[in-house]
C-alpha cells in the first residue's frame, strides 16, 4: 500500500516524507505522540507561541536547507543573543568583547587576547583530553569557572573532566562586540510557529498520531516497502546490547501577569547550585509583539534519562559510540529499515543538520529506485 512508512512526525520524518512524496512516492507517517512536530512542536499560550520542548532557533549556512524550509514558512529576523547569570552577575554569550569587558574591564581586543593568553599559559594544554582541558585551553580559568563548568555539569550530569572535549567547541570565542550566538547567514523563527511549518510540510500526506510502531510493527511491515525509523535505535532493538545513554529534560512553564520578565529570550544560569540551566521567555522570539499584558516563561531542568523518558541528547562518549556501533551493524542486517534523525543515528544534530541528512537520504533512495 505504501512505498515508505516514516516512524516519527518530527522534523526528520516530515522532511523525508515531503521530499519523497514530491517525487511520486506514497508515504505514511506515524507518531506515538498526540501531535506532529516532535521536539520542535510549538503551541499558542495566552496569544504567545511557546516552544513546548525547549527553544528552537533555526540557523544554518546551508543554502539548500534554508531554501527547503522557506517553502513551508517565512522566517523572522530573530538572532539568538542569550545572557549568562552567574550568582547575579550578567554576561553576554557567546564569549565576546562584551563578556571580557564585564569580566576584566577589557575595552580592546588585544587586551582581552593577552588576558586569556596569560591564563591559558598557566596550563600549557595542547591536546585536550576532556571538556575541562578544552575550556581551559580556549578561554582560561575565569570564563571556565563562571560560565562553563557549572552549566555544563548540570546539563550533562557529570564532571567536566568526564565529558568529551568536542562539546565546548560549540561555543565560539570572538574578539568583537557581537552577541549573535550562531553567526550563521540564515537564521530566524518561523513566523507562524514550528507546528504550522510542519503542518505545511506534511500537507497531503497521510499522518496517524497516537500510533506506537514498536507495538504494531508486524502489521505495519506488511503494508510498506521500506521503513524510515527516527526513534531511538537501541529501543528499536529492545536494548539487546544494552542502553545507550541520553540526557533528558523536564520543563516548568509559567504564565506571568507582566509584560516582560527578563528582557531577552534566553538566560543561562551557570552556577552549579541553581537547579535549572536556563529560563526561556517565549515572547521575545517574536520580539515581544504577542501579548502586552502577559508573558510565558519556561525553566529548563536537565535530568538523567531512564526508559520511558524522552531522550533529548545522546551522550557521545567513547563507551556509547562503541555501543552505538553494535546497533548500527545490527541495523544493516535488515535493509528494509533505515534509521534517521538524532535518535536513529545517535548524533547531536542541529535542526539544519537533521534536514540536510534526510535530504541526502532521500536523494540516495530516489537513486536506488531509478
Amino acid at each position: 500500500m505504501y512505498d515508505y512508512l516514516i516512524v516519527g512526525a518530527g522534523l526528520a520524518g516530515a522532511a523525508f516524507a515531503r521530499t519523497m512524496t514530491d517525487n511520486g512516492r506514497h508515504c505514511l507517517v506515524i507518531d506515538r505522540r498526540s501531535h506532529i512536530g516532535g521536539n520542535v512542536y510549538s503551541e499558542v499560550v495566552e496569544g504567545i507561541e511557546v516552544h513546548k520542548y525547549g527553544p528552537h532557533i533555526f540557523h544554518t549556512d546551508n543554502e539548500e536547507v534554508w531554501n527547503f524550509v522557506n517553502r513551508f514558512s517565512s522566517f523572522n529576523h530573530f538572532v539568538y543573543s542569550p545572557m549568562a547569570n552567574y550568582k547575579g552577575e550578567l554576561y553576554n554569550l557567546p564569549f565576546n568583547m562584551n563578556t571580557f569587558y564585564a569580566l576584566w574591564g577589557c575595552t580592546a581586543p588585544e587586551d582581552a587576547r593577552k588576558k586569556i593568553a596569560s591564563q591559558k599559559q598557566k596550563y600549557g594544554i595542547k591536546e585536550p583530553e576532556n571538556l575541562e582541558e578544552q575550556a581551559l585551553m580556549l578561554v582560561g580559568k575565569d570564563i571556565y569557572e563562571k560560565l562553563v563548568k557549572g552549566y555544563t555539569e548540570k546539563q550533562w550530569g557529570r564532571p567536566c573532566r568526564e565529558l568529551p572535549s568536542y562539546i565546548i567547541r560549540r561555543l565560539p570565542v570572538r574578539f568583537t562586540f557581537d552577541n549573535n550566538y550562531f553567526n550563521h547567514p540564515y537564521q530566524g523563527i518561523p513566523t507562524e510557529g514550528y507546528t504550522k511549518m510542519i503542518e505545511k510540510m506534511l500537507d497531503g500526506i497521510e499522518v496517524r498520531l497516537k500510533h506506537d510502531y514498536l507495538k504494531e510493527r508486524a502489521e505495519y511491515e506488511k503494508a510498506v516497502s521500506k521503513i524510515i525509523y527516527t526513534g531511538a535505535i537501541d529501543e528499536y532493538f529492545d536494548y539487546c546490547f544494552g542502553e545507550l545513554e541520553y540526557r533528558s529534560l523536564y520543563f516548568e512553564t509559567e504564565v506571568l501577569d507582566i509584560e516582560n520578565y527578563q528582557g531577552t529570550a534566553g538566560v543561562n544560569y551557570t552556577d552549579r547550585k541553581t537547579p535549572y540551566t536556563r529560563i526561556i521567555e517565549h515572547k521575545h522570539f517574536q520580539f515581544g509583539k504577542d501579548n502586552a499584558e502577559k508573558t510565558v516563561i519556561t525553566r529548563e531542568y536537565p535530568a538523567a534519562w531512564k526508559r520511558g523518558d524522552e531522550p533529548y541528547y545522546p551522550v557521545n562518549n567513547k563507551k556509547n559510540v562503541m555501543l552505538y556501533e553494535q546497533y548500527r551493524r545490527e541495523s544493516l542486517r535488515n535493509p528494509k529499515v533505515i534509521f534517521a534523525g538524532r535518535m536513529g543515528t545517535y548524533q547531536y544534530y542541529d535542526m539544519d543538520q537533521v534536514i540536510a541528512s534526510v535530504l541526502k537520504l532521500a536523494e540516495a533512495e530516489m537513486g536506488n529506485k531509478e
Side-chain angles (χ1 to χ4, degrees):
M1 292 176 59
Y2 303 95
D3 296 306
Y4 290 93
L5 167 68
I6 295 98
V7 181
L11 198 57
F16 183 86
R18 177 76 273 150
T19 304
M20 299 308 290
T21 300
D22 289 347
N23 284 274
R25 311 310 196 256
H26 191 197
C27 298
L28 168 65
V29 179
I30 65 172
D31 200 297
R32 59 187 174 192
R33 286 178 172 174
S34 61
H35 60 73
I36 62 172
N39 288 344
V40 305
Y41 173 76
S42 61
E43 60 186 6
V44 177
V45 178
E46 297 289 351
I48 299 166
E49 192 78 24
V50 171
H51 297 205
K52 186 174 175 63
Y53 302 102
H56 287 85
I57 300 92
F58 200 93
H59 58 95
T60 189
D61 57 4
N62 186 322
E63 190 170 356
E64 179 188 14
V65 169
W66 184 243
N67 290 337
F68 178 81
V69 294
N70 273 269
R71 289 173 53 192
F72 313 104
S73 179
S74 59
F75 284 72
N76 67 18
H77 59 280
F78 177 83
V79 171
Y80 194 41
S81 302
M83 300 294 295
N85 184 317
Y86 177 76
K87 299 181 179 180
E89 300 171 8
L90 293 178
Y91 300 95
N92 288 97
L93 295 175
F95 312 138
N96 63 49
M97 286 302 300
N98 290 308
T99 317
F100 309 146
Y101 176 76
L103 277 169
W104 307 310
C106 295
T107 57
E110 188 59 27
D111 295 336
R113 288 182 188 275
K114 288 179 179 178
K115 184 69 175 180
I116 292 174
S118 69
Q119 293 197 0
K120 289 162 55 175
Q121 189 176 13
K122 294 179 182 179
Y123 299 97
I125 300 168
K126 294 184 179 180
E127 295 294 334
E129 296 183 359
N130 55 56
L131 188 146
E132 178 171 282
E133 291 184 358
Q134 176 72 36
L136 292 171
M137 186 184 78
L138 283 175
V139 292
K141 181 180 178 181
D142 291 352
I143 293 177
Y144 170 65
E145 291 192 345
K146 285 194 172 187
L147 302 180
V148 177
K149 181 176 170 63
Y151 180 92
T152 305
E153 291 185 347
K154 286 188 293 186
Q155 183 77 3
W156 294 100
R158 63 197 67 199
C160 287
R161 290 182 180 181
E162 297 178 11
L163 290 167
S165 61
Y166 77 85
I167 294 176
I168 198 63
R169 294 189 190 122
R170 293 172 60 85
L171 294 175
V173 179
R174 303 186 190 133
F175 293 94
T176 62
F177 290 92
D178 179 8
N179 298 322
N180 182 346
Y181 190 85
F182 295 114
N183 205 26
H184 279 157
Y186 309 114
Q187 53 188 304
I189 305 289
T191 52
E192 294 183 287
Y194 281 102
T195 301
K196 287 289 184 182
M197 184 181 81
I198 299 296
E199 279 181 5
K200 292 178 181 178
M201 212 176 282
L202 291 170
D203 184 43
I205 299 170
E206 184 177 353
V207 178
R208 300 178 188 176
L209 300 176
K210 299 182 181 178
H211 282 252
D212 191 334
Y213 166 77
L214 296 180
K215 293 180 179 178
E216 308 168 59
R217 70 170 82 187
E219 179 181 341
Y220 276 116
E221 287 184 5
K222 295 175 184 176
V224 300
S225 300
K226 219 161 198 180
I227 296 162
I228 307 298
Y229 187 83
T230 68
I233 190 170
D234 56 342
E235 184 183 14
Y236 177 90
F237 289 108
D238 198 24
Y239 310 101
C240 64
F241 301 120
E243 294 178 355
L244 288 164
E245 289 183 273
Y246 305 89
R247 290 296 286 169
S248 192
L249 299 169
Y250 70 94
F251 305 96
E252 184 180 83
T253 298
E254 186 177 0
V255 178
L256 302 176
D257 294 323
I258 56 175
E259 180 184 2
N260 187 358
Y261 176 74
Q262 63 186 17
T264 189
V267 176
N268 292 359
Y269 286 78
T270 59
D271 65 288
R272 190 67 181 85
K273 187 175 181 180
T274 302
Y276 43 85
T277 50
R278 58 184 171 183
I279 295 179
I280 299 302
E281 188 168 8
H282 300 269
K283 71 189 310 180
H284 294 298
F285 291 125
Q286 301 289 349
F287 310 108
K289 296 182 292 187
D290 299 311
N291 188 329
E293 298 179 352
K294 294 180 183 291
T295 193
V296 181
I297 65 169
T298 299
R299 296 176 184 87
E300 187 173 303
Y301 297 82
W305 174 87
K306 62 182 184 303
R307 293 192 198 187
D309 294 341
E310 191 66 32
Y312 284 91
Y313 303 110
V315 181
N316 294 124
N317 57 21
K318 184 176 181 180
K319 169 191 168 186
N320 286 293
V321 168
M322 292 175 64
L323 180 56
Y324 166 70
E325 181 60 22
Q326 287 185 268
Y327 282 113
R328 190 193 68 81
R329 288 197 300 266
E330 182 68 18
S331 73
L332 299 178
R333 292 163 60 88
N334 183 1
K336 185 174 183 176
V337 181
I338 298 173
F339 293 84
R342 257 192 180 196
M343 298 298 105
T345 59
Y346 200 66
Q347 295 292 318
Y348 192 90
Y349 281 145
D350 288 325
M351 288 184 287
D352 65 322
Q353 294 171 315
V354 168
I355 292 174
S357 68
V358 297
L359 292 181
K360 184 178 180 180
L361 172 60
E363 183 179 3
E365 283 297 297
M366 288 184 285
N368 290 337
K369 291 284 185 180
E370 294 168 358

